[in-house]
Amino acid sequence: MKSIVKLNILGIVLLFFILSLESIQIKAQSVNIDKTAYKNVKSAKILVSQDFGKASNVSFPVESWILQIFTPLNISSTAEKYDMIVSVEIKGEALWKNYSETNSNNETIVKTHYTGAFIRACVTFSLSDNQKITKTYENKIEPLDMFFDIRNPYKSPENLYSTPNDAPFENACLLPVYKAIYFCVYHTFGISPLVQDLEIKKNFTFSDQEKRSAAAEILGEVKDPTAIDPLIKSIEKGRDNKSLKKAILLIQDKSAFDPLSNALQSSNSETRTIAATGLGNLKDTRAVKQLISTLNDEDLSVREAAAEALGTLKDTSAVEPLINALNTNIKSHAIEALGDIEDARAVEPLIIELNKGNIQSVAKALGKIKDPRAVEPLIKELKKGNIRDVAEALGKIKDTR
């Protein structure tokens, strides 16, 4: 009986293993696309399916979203004699919470408001030879924990978000739909359409911002180093650049060194900050000299990013400049960087900082360096009651005293 159970378990494990291999294979096939097959695409049949559950009145102009991206590629929409089929399937659900309200009679009334939404968007590009690419993204807006009318907090919001149709579907829908479209576009028509949509245009709307964010996120996911330059240029011209900066940091290719190095000379402090961080992530020691100079940048955020990057690169030529930075307003970042580099020259300056009361950060740094000269000063702090970080540092140094 035990042997049968074991065989059943092994069979289940083997089945899961095979299924996982199949899923990995399918995923790999979805990006193994012959882009030359799409060069002659001039028309597309666009099929859109939208299902938002109980929110029967919700619908979005998805075809026009696609055509905005296709128009610069000279691809038109048609129902006959098409070169490609574009299928978009969107499924959504209104998310709700119950909120307590007090009426005019001072009675507590519980009402349901649909302040959240879940979206799953699947996009497929198919050619007549059965070559296709498919991508799915999801997005979820959690229902609000507290609810009131932001236009009038003292008024009962009884008519706001009171039905599934009122749920914030558009806010939840734009990003996953655009991401799925851009993923397929990148793997079939290349990077150009995504780069074009990074630009800030006149009368920029929320929809345009989500479109821009989606293009940036896909460029980060595919880690295309040729995207660095346009992402940097877009940051300098735009606003709300979080997704663009994240994309830059995801692209850790050596060929990104030159554009990031050039960006460190930008007049835009936000650009210089992300460039410094990006150079650190590349782990290319060619950046050390430039980052050391950047420790004197006029902008605080840039100086902090340069110190962090030098810590990431762990090049010992940065030790003295970082020791000098202990006397500036990037002290905490310099302490952490010195700990990351683990050079013994930093021990005495760090002990001075320990005596000044910078216990937590300095103890961590000294613990990384593991120099026995730090033991006595750390024991003194331990006796003062500064236990946690100091004890951890002493444990790493492993001195028998």
Side-chain angles (χ1 to χ4, degrees):
M1 184 68 180
K2 287 183 180 179
S3 61
I4 294 173
V5 171
K6 285 181 181 179
L7 284 172
N8 285 339
I9 293 171
L10 285 171
I12 293 169
V13 171
L14 183 61
L15 178 61
F16 274 111
F17 179 70
I18 293 169
L19 288 173
S20 66
L21 283 178
E22 288 180 357
S23 66
I24 291 168
Q25 194 173 26
I26 291 168
K27 187 175 181 181
Q29 287 174 350
S30 70
V31 294
N32 186 21
I33 295 295
D34 179 13
K35 289 185 181 179
T36 59
Y38 288 83
K39 281 187 176 180
N40 298 320
V41 171
K42 296 299 177 185
S43 60
K45 183 178 182 179
I46 301 175
L47 306 173
V48 179
S49 169
Q50 303 184 59
D51 179 4
F52 298 96
K54 294 180 180 180
S56 56
N57 295 337
V58 176
S59 181
F60 298 107
V62 178
E63 184 170 349
S64 69
W65 296 354
I66 296 170
L67 289 175
Q68 287 173 8
I69 300 170
F70 278 1
T71 299
L73 295 169
N74 296 317
I75 299 174
S76 60
S77 173
T78 180
E80 299 178 359
K81 295 182 180 180
Y82 44 83
D83 303 315
M84 176 177 71
I85 297 176
V86 176
S87 302
V88 181
E89 183 181 10
I90 303 172
K91 290 190 176 182
E93 181 184 355
L95 304 179
W96 54 271
K97 271 194 176 183
N98 290 326
Y99 303 90
S100 298
E101 302 173 15
T102 304
N103 64 14
S104 56
N105 296 324
N106 208 27
E107 297 171 330
T108 300
I109 301 173
V110 177
K111 291 185 177 181
T112 299
H113 291 287
Y114 296 86
T115 57
F118 171 78
I119 293 289
R120 178 183 288 111
C122 178
V123 174
T124 302
F125 286 10
S126 305
L127 294 181
S128 57
D129 62 356
N130 292 324
Q131 183 174 193
K132 70 177 182 179
I133 179 169
T134 300
K135 190 64 177 178
T136 301
Y137 286 99
E138 297 178 350
N139 193 22
K140 186 178 184 181
I141 296 177
E142 295 287 354
L144 299 173
D145 289 327
M146 297 180 66
F147 182 67
F148 56 86
D149 184 350
I150 59 173
R151 294 164 294 182
N152 187 351
Y154 302 103
K155 178 184 175 183
S156 175
E158 56 188 37
N159 296 320
L160 291 175
Y161 303 102
S162 56
T163 73
N165 290 311
D166 301 322
F169 281 114
E170 183 176 10
N171 289 14
C173 190
L174 286 165
L175 191 62
V177 172
Y178 273 127
K179 283 185 69 175
I181 295 169
Y182 279 129
F183 181 91
C184 294
V185 166
Y186 175 85
H187 287 289
T188 51
F189 300 104
I191 194 174
S192 179
L194 286 73
V195 169
Q196 288 177 4
D197 289 334
L198 293 176
E199 296 177 8
I200 301 286
K201 301 176 178 68
K202 287 184 179 180
N203 303 318
F204 204 62
T205 64
F206 173 75
S207 177
D208 293 326
Q209 179 58 50
E210 291 295 273
K211 187 178 176 184
R212 180 174 181 253
S213 297
E217 288 189 23
I218 294 302
L219 290 172
E221 284 184 24
V222 299
K223 296 177 172 58
D224 189 331
T226 63
I228 291 284
D229 244 352
L231 284 166
I232 288 171
K233 289 175 181 175
S234 186
I235 286 175
E236 294 188 332
K237 295 177 183 177
R239 60 184 186 273
D240 193 13
N241 294 317
K242 183 178 178 181
S243 57
L244 281 76
K245 291 188 282 188
K246 183 180 178 181
I248 289 173
L249 297 182
L250 286 172
I251 304 171
Q252 298 179 15
D253 189 279
K254 292 293 183 182
S255 61
F257 177 83
D258 286 339
L260 288 173
S261 179
N262 293 335
L264 206 54
Q265 308 301 320
S266 170
S267 59
N268 183 299
S269 61
E270 189 176 13
T271 301
R272 297 198 304 277
T273 301
I274 196 65
T277 303
L279 287 169
N281 286 353
L282 289 182
K283 295 181 172 61
D284 190 325
T285 54
R286 287 180 294 169
V288 172
K289 187 175 180 180
Q290 196 174 9
L291 287 168
I292 288 172
S293 298
T294 308
L295 290 173
N296 297 314
D297 192 278
E298 63 183 23
D299 186 270
L300 175 61
S301 295
V302 179
R303 296 196 298 274
E304 290 174 343
E308 289 177 7
L310 288 168
T312 301
L313 291 171
K314 302 181 187 299
D315 191 284
T316 56
S317 62
V319 171
E320 292 299 336
L322 286 167
I323 289 173
N324 294 334
L326 293 174
N327 298 316
T328 70
N329 57 357
I330 62 166
K331 176 187 291 189
S332 61
H333 293 77
I335 290 171
E336 186 174 350
L338 287 167
D340 290 336
I341 296 172
E342 300 179 15
D343 189 287
R345 285 174 292 170
V347 173
E348 294 297 338
L350 286 173
I351 289 173
I352 292 172
E353 293 301 321
L354 185 73
N355 294 331
K356 290 180 181 178
N358 299 306
I359 312 300
Q360 185 177 17
S361 58
V362 173
K364 287 182 178 179
L366 290 171
K368 290 178 180 179
I369 298 172
K370 299 181 178 64
D371 191 297
R373 286 176 292 170
V375 172
E376 290 297 335
L378 286 169
I379 289 174
K380 287 181 181 178
E381 294 301 326
L382 195 64
K383 291 177 179 178
K384 292 178 184 178
N386 299 313
I387 297 174
R388 183 178 174 182
D389 296 299
V390 173
E392 188 176 337
L394 286 167
K396 289 180 178 179
I397 296 172
K398 296 179 180 178
D399 192 283
T400 55
R401 276 175 280 183

